[in-house]
Amino acid sequence: MTTETRNIPCLITIFGATGDLSHRKLFPSIFHLYQQNQLDEHIAIIGVGRRDWSTEKFRNEIKASVEKHVQDTEKLDEFMEHVFYQSHDVSDPSSYEELLTFSNELDSKYQLEGNRLFYLAMAPQFFGTVTDFLKSSGLTETDGFKRLIIEKPFGTDLASAEELNKQIRRSFKEEEIYRIDHYLGKDMVQNIEVLRFANAMFEPLWNNKYISNVQVTSSEILGVEDRGGYYENSGALKDMFQNHMLQMVALLAMEPPISLNSEDVRNEKVKVLRSIRPLKESEVKQNFVRGQYDKGQIDGEQVKSYREEDKVADDSNTPTFVAGKLLIDNFRWAGVPFFIRTGKRMKKKGIQVIVEFKEVPMNLYYQRDSELESNLLVINIQPNEGLSLHLNAKKQVQGIETEPVQLSYSMSAQDKMNTVDAYENLIFDCLKGDATNFTHWEELKATWKYVDVIQNVWDNDKAPFPNYRAGTNGPIKSQLLLSIDGFKWWDDIN
């Protein structure tokens, strides 16, 4: 629940501070909050890492990163005076004793009121170790708040997620744990709730009486690049579908909460995720399609196949593409399929939601055997943030023929996928104590329970990979997934 709106005193301790995420996202985001006066002089940041660096060396590295990723660097030198570094061994108790002493010194110097935010930007296998030591060292014993931000992946299946959750809960309460999903920090993802609940024209139509299907697509033109080792152990199902994609489904399908309190919003999301019709193993093949990219052309350049990428097995069974059909068994959505698609090395880059409305009962404007164009609500999350409404209108000629028209609103033409802004929003939310756009354990448990069934089937069934060329819209079978129900992917809609 939000208790304060701005200028919250806090000591932010970032584990894994010398890593790529910290340099590209976290420090540029925190700096921008400082620059926008959302943070003030009562703030201090400790970067924790294995490298034997001095604070001066660390500041120089961070300053260079901020200058690279933030256009306006006014107040950067002032901000850097609040940034410090400690070389740290996460398995050594003495490192935490030194961190406690340093934290207390900074708390006193900057009048931080005992508020502490710990950000674990590191491999998940260290989460339990770090949180145990944070408690045993006394770092979590404070008069102010203590909060923990952790990155995905949170486990590799339900069993490992439950074990990890038990470890972390030894040191932090559920309301103190902020499981970050950067998709939930995107402005247009957060706008889904506003679009639905602040506009009387949409909410009465937001149900199975008027909507025929919902499509959610997240496509990338990039391959796995230097993440082959990680991706081999996750694939598109765990890297994208289990978290980002199902979170968007929850926002699209949830009932109106009784308030915008984080707990009320989360409760409605959990209800949706629990209402997704469970799959039997025998149903996976007819409801889900997996793919892996072959060599092909992207923007006129030849690119290699997934199996040719660095740290990827020659006979890899890892999917780089997943498409699925979900059914939500509740009163609002009974019978409405939600089609989800995510993949790498696809034809274009974008994150898009398309809500297709049902046809009018009788076509009065064409021949009886003709169909009107579908009414669509298109929510573009990336790259061109905005929305459009596709309607039918009379042609500007004699007669009564119709033509499709588009009412559009574009928020920005800038590609903001996984940029500073998403992390900036989420870090600020955490400082305020607003957990609305973070993943609750019950949400996580519901998504892993659903995904485990799919993963178990795929683990025991060798796929005929590769099965789609780079630069295309994925396997042909993903088209059939919709055509069986009389639908199609709206690939060329903006």
Side-chain angles (χ1 to χ4, degrees):
M1 179 178 175
T2 303
T3 56
E4 297 177 78
T5 56
R6 57 185 295 161
N7 297 345
I8 303 99
C10 189
L11 173 62
I12 303 174
T13 304
I14 300 176
F15 289 81
T18 59
D20 181 64
L21 177 66
S22 294
H23 283 262
R24 287 190 304 112
K25 304 297 180 185
L26 304 187
F27 278 98
S29 294
I30 297 170
F31 164 66
H32 199 246
L33 288 172
Y34 184 86
Q35 188 184 50
Q36 298 298 313
N37 298 319
Q38 303 299 330
L39 303 174
D40 56 24
E41 68 273 12
H42 301 296
I43 194 77
I45 304 102
I46 302 177
V48 173
R50 291 177 296 177
R51 299 180 185 180
D52 188 20
W53 284 359
S54 64
T55 288
E56 182 181 5
K57 164 72 172 173
F58 183 66
R59 285 178 175 177
N60 289 336
E61 294 287 331
I62 294 303
K63 186 176 181 179
S65 294
V66 172
E67 289 173 338
K68 181 179 179 181
H69 293 98
V70 179
Q71 191 172 17
D72 178 7
T73 56
E74 183 184 355
K75 298 176 68 174
L76 180 56
D77 289 335
E78 180 183 318
F79 169 75
M80 294 311 301
E81 294 299 315
H82 297 260
V83 176
F84 303 87
Y85 182 76
Q86 179 183 298
S87 180
H88 188 96
D89 181 347
V90 295
S91 59
D92 182 3
S94 64
S95 288
Y96 293 89
E97 293 173 6
E98 294 172 8
L99 183 59
L100 175 61
T101 300
F102 192 25
S103 298
N104 289 337
E105 291 174 1
L106 293 178
D107 190 279
S108 176
K109 178 179 179 179
Y110 291 97
Q111 300 176 0
L112 305 179
E113 300 179 7
N115 295 328
R116 290 178 182 172
L117 168 59
F118 303 96
Y119 198 125
L120 304 192
M122 58 200 310
Q125 60 262 34
F126 297 115
F127 289 175
T129 301
V130 172
T131 54
D132 281 347
F133 275 121
L134 288 177
K135 182 177 181 180
S136 62
S137 66
L139 276 158
T140 58
E141 295 177 12
T142 174
D143 294 332
F145 64 71
K146 66 178 190 294
R147 293 172 188 150
L148 178 74
I149 297 181
I150 48 180
E151 288 277 342
K152 74 176 183 71
F154 195 93
T156 57
D157 55 19
L158 180 57
S160 61
E162 286 179 327
E163 181 59 33
L164 180 56
N165 197 56
K166 287 178 183 177
Q167 282 185 298
I168 295 173
R169 288 291 299 273
R170 291 197 293 257
S171 305
F172 293 86
K173 300 175 183 177
E174 175 60 34
E175 58 267 27
E176 297 171 332
I177 301 171
Y178 291 71
R179 301 173 189 85
I180 202 165
D181 183 332
H182 70 264
Y183 267 45
L184 298 183
K186 294 179 182 296
D187 287 333
M188 280 307 298
V189 172
Q190 295 182 1
N191 253 316
I192 291 173
E193 293 176 75
V194 179
L195 184 68
R196 287 189 55 195
F197 304 134
N199 293 288
M201 66 181 293
F202 287 125
E203 185 55 28
L205 307 180
W206 212 260
N207 54 59
N208 54 11
K209 292 182 181 179
Y210 299 102
I211 292 175
S212 65
N213 73 96
V214 179
Q215 300 177 19
V216 184
T217 296
S218 178
S219 60
E220 298 180 61
I221 59 174
L222 295 176
V224 294
E225 298 182 290
D226 59 352
R227 300 173 69 225
Y230 161 76
Y231 207 81
E232 274 288 83
N233 295 314
S234 62
L237 186 67
K238 296 180 181 180
D239 185 51
M240 291 291 296
F241 181 85
Q242 180 268 332
N243 38 75
H244 305 321
M245 307 304 286
L246 287 178
Q247 282 291 325
M248 286 197 285
V249 169
L251 290 171
L252 289 162
M254 62 186 264
E255 292 294 322
I258 60 174
S259 78
L260 293 179
N261 178 289
S262 61
E263 185 176 352
D264 292 331
V265 174
R266 281 173 155 186
N267 287 341
E268 297 303 333
K269 289 170 65 181
V270 170
K271 287 178 185 177
V272 171
L273 294 171
R274 288 176 176 170
S275 298
I276 297 176
R277 183 181 298 177
L279 287 173
K280 298 176 183 177
E281 291 195 353
S282 60
E283 297 172 327
V284 170
K285 192 171 184 179
Q286 68 190 61
N287 288 283
F288 276 82
V289 173
R290 54 180 162 163
Q292 185 188 93
Y293 64 82
D294 198 354
K295 61 184 66 175
Q297 283 198 342
I298 301 285
D299 294 333
E301 294 186 10
Q302 191 73 18
V303 297
K304 55 190 174 182
S305 69
Y306 174 72
R307 290 180 175 179
E308 294 173 317
E309 302 279 11
D310 187 36
K311 298 181 181 179
V312 171
D314 293 339
D315 60 347
S316 174
N317 197 44
T318 301
T320 61
F321 173 98
V322 172
K325 171 186 173 181
L326 283 66
L327 293 172
I328 299 174
D329 289 336
N330 62 22
F331 188 80
R332 180 185 289 261
W333 295 111
V336 178
F338 281 68
F339 297 107
I340 315 300
R341 177 176 56 167
T342 180
K344 292 187 175 296
R345 288 292 190 211
M346 294 181 68
K347 189 174 182 179
K348 65 179 182 180
K349 176 181 180 178
I351 307 172
Q352 188 179 66
V353 173
I354 295 179
V355 179
E356 182 174 356
F357 293 90
K358 290 184 175 179
E359 297 176 5
V360 293
M362 185 175 69
N363 182 356
L364 300 175
Y365 295 96
Y366 284 150
Q367 297 82 5
R368 292 183 180 179
D369 59 348
S370 298
E371 294 181 357
L372 288 169
E373 292 289 331
S374 295
N375 292 152
L376 306 173
L377 172 64
V378 180
I379 305 171
N380 286 309
I381 296 166
Q382 175 272 320
N384 300 318
E385 295 180 332
L387 56 93
S388 61
L389 194 59
H390 295 245
L391 308 171
N392 289 300
K394 180 182 177 297
K395 284 186 176 181
Q396 298 301 310
V397 294
Q398 291 183 343
I400 57 172
E401 290 187 357
T402 65
E403 63 179 349
V405 296
Q406 181 177 334
L407 308 178
S408 299
Y409 171 65
S410 180
M411 293 180 62
S412 169
Q414 181 184 7
D415 184 346
K416 294 183 177 181
M417 184 177 184
N418 196 14
T419 62
V420 169
D421 296 321
Y423 278 92
E424 180 182 326
N425 291 338
L426 294 171
I427 290 171
F428 189 51
D429 281 350
C430 183
L431 288 169
K432 293 186 298 180
D434 184 352
T436 305
N437 295 306
F438 293 83
T439 307
H440 189 272
W441 166 244
E442 292 299 325
E443 297 174 58
L444 194 68
K445 187 165 66 172
T447 57
W448 272 127
K449 187 176 181 180
Y450 185 82
V451 164
D452 276 357
V453 177
I454 305 168
Q455 189 64 59
N456 289 339
V457 171
W458 287 354
D459 283 344
N460 296 308
D461 180 22
K462 189 76 173 177
F465 289 158
N467 61 350
Y468 72 96
R469 294 188 65 81
T472 66
N473 288 321
I476 295 297
K477 284 187 177 180
S478 69
Q479 307 291 336
L480 300 177
L481 190 66
L482 280 74
S483 63
I484 291 174
D485 292 324
F487 304 121
K488 65 177 181 179
W489 291 112
W490 293 95
D491 288 319
D492 299 319
I493 290 292
N494 295 314

